[in-house]
Amino acid sequence: MASTTTRAVGVDIGGTGIKGALVDISTGELLSDRVKVATPEGAKPDDVLAAVKTVLERLEVTDADVPLGVAFPAIVKRGRTLSAANVSDRWIDFEAEQFFEEGLGREIHFANDADVAGVAEVRFGAARDVDGLVILTTLGTGIGSAMIHNGVLIPNSELGHLDRAGHKRDAEAWAAYSAMEREELTWDKWAGRLQWYYSHLEFLFSPDLFIVGGGVSKHADKFLPLLDLKTPIVPATHRNNAGIIGAAALSIG
Ligand code: BGC
């Protein structure tokens, strides 16, 4: 049986869903079922806090003795959220970590959602022991990114917001999985947009490996083979659970 210090809870707040599970942070395995609730309409702080409480209650981990990591879809600097692409503007320049700690009555570790997914893949997945530059992107409501150099995360890279010269919509608004759903694109059409995105990243950063996370990564065989890149591109080992696992892992350090 895992000792108590290797068990932690990870909660991954996304633009569409809030997911959580109990994780064995020595192996990255989920020790519970994954609980998911919808992100409340408008994603305002009080409503998101209430939804996180629901997730913790359903997981039966309201006990503050179990370390808790929370991942959020925004720039996170010293506990403050500094941006809000797919959540309420009230998160801009907001003491979010303190807000969750007071609201939940326990300490948390708080970080960007894509960054924690990157940490999970470094510790337990596709980025493990990879030298050089790994860029993990999550394709979901938005596009999140984690840049990892020789196993070390460079936080808050926000590569989903790259501009597309001459176009109004940035990379995320045009190429996230939500754009495919909204515009009912075929895999082929969507892959055309991803081709532009990953070629651009490849040109800018010359990475050694791309990792693709987010819910759609479970269908990686439908779109990754359609991309023509010099850089290897693989699905995240932990697919859409990477955020939960990384958040939990960071809560212990
Ligand atoms: C946010 C990022 C986040 C990504 C994925 C983007 O809109 O700006 O901070 O990582 O969505 O959730």
Side-chain angles (χ1 to χ4, degrees), residues 93-111:
D93 244 332
F94 184 71
E95 289 291 353
E97 181 167 8
Q98 194 185 325
F99 170 78
F100 281 114
E101 288 191 337
E102 283 171 9
L104 300 172
R106 66 203 285 182
E107 280 187 17
I108 66 166
H109 188 285
F110 189 65

Side-chain angles (χ1 to χ4, degrees), residues 73-75 85-86 112-114 138 142-144 158 161 172:
I75 299 170
N86 296 300
N112 172 266
D113 57 353
T138 58
I143 296 182
E158 292 293 331
H161 296 295
E172 148 174 316

Side-chain angles (χ1 to χ4, degrees), residues 130-210:
V130 178
D131 287 334
L133 180 65
V134 177
I135 299 182
L136 172 138
T137 54
T138 58
L139 302 174
T141 314
I143 296 182
S145 63
M147 291 183 90
I148 297 139
H149 189 248
N150 290 341
V152 178
L153 174 74
I154 305 157
N156 292 311
S157 49
E158 292 293 331
L159 300 180
H161 296 295
L162 284 178
D163 274 336
R164 294 162 57 236
H167 295 272
K168 275 204 194 120
R169 290 194 284 172
D170 66 6
E172 148 174 316
W174 193 59
Y177 180 55
S178 59
M180 176 182 178
E181 289 186 308
R182 198 172 47 241
E183 297 175 47
E184 297 180 2
L185 303 177
T186 59
W187 291 109
D188 219 44
K189 274 256 188 274
W190 186 50
R193 296 185 181 191
L194 295 177
Q195 178 67 45
W196 166 80
Y197 182 59
Y198 288 108
S199 301
H200 195 46
L201 288 183
E202 184 167 69
F203 173 72
L204 292 177
F205 299 105
S206 302
D208 296 283
L209 177 68
F210 284 123

Side-chain angles (χ1 to χ4, degrees), residues 72-129:
F72 195 82
I75 299 170
V76 177
K77 197 95 178 155
R78 296 185 188 88
R80 273 183 100 78
T81 39
L82 301 184
S83 65
N86 296 300
V87 289
S88 155
D89 282 354
R90 292 200 30 216
W91 295 96
I92 300 175
D93 244 332
F94 184 71
E95 289 291 353
E97 181 167 8
Q98 194 185 325
F99 170 78
F100 281 114
E101 288 191 337
E102 283 171 9
L104 300 172
R106 66 203 285 182
E107 280 187 17
I108 66 166
H109 188 285
F110 189 65
N112 172 266
D113 57 353
D115 281 345
V116 304
V119 168
E121 291 294 312
V122 169
R123 294 202 189 171
F124 313 111
R128 195 173 190 162
D129 299 327

